[in-house]
Amino acid sequence: MGKLTTHVLDTMNGCPAAGMLVALYRMDGGQPTLLKQLALNHDGRADAPLLDDTTFKTGTYRLVFEVAAYFRGRGVILPEPPFVDAVPIDFGLANPLQHYHVPLLASPWAYSTYRGS
């Protein structure tokens, strides 16, 4: 059955982004509906799938990663406003039988994502 997972790596320090706050929204007609908020575990992952076979629905979603807050929490001095603050990633879930994984590689100055496995 389908599921959604995420993983964040801190590329500045070369480690998982433990403690980073993440929010998941479902986008209905362009309007976000908050589904879940969580802090990533010691491995930079959610403890459970963000969506599983009981909550997975096809559609458009948004993950928002609190990148600047995470780096401030690690003692990094950032400008105000920070260059990278909250990072939203909009994506579609089309197949309810597949595993969708949305990883994020983040630093205070850059980020990238891709569809992982």
Side-chain angles (χ1 to χ4, degrees):
M1 299 302 288
K3 66 180 176 177
L4 171 65
T5 57
T6 192
H7 183 207
V8 182
L9 295 175
D10 169 344
T11 59
M12 177 182 181
N13 296 295
C15 63
M20 183 180 286
L21 300 177
V22 179
L24 172 66
Y25 298 86
R26 181 169 170 86
M27 303 300 291
D28 291 312
Q31 296 300 316
T33 300
L34 179 65
L35 300 179
K36 188 173 288 193
Q37 290 180 300
L38 60 120
L40 299 177
N41 66 20
H42 70 282
D43 196 33
R45 299 175 187 272
D47 287 326
L50 301 174
L51 298 172
D52 60 22
D53 60 342
T54 62
T55 57
F56 188 106
K57 295 180 184 172
T58 60
T60 304
Y61 292 82
R62 174 178 293 158
L63 280 168
V64 179
F65 300 88
E66 296 296 335
V67 173
Y70 163 80
F71 283 106
R72 282 190 185 109
R74 289 191 56 106
V76 177
I77 298 171
L78 300 176
E80 192 55 50
F83 185 71
V84 173
D85 195 353
V87 173
I89 299 173
D90 290 0
F91 56 95
L93 302 179
N95 187 333
L97 300 177
Q98 291 186 351
H99 174 192
Y100 290 82
H101 183 65
V102 181
L104 181 71
L105 306 174
S107 82
W109 308 281
Y111 64 90
S112 65
T113 191
Y114 53 94
R115 182 174 174 190
S117 58

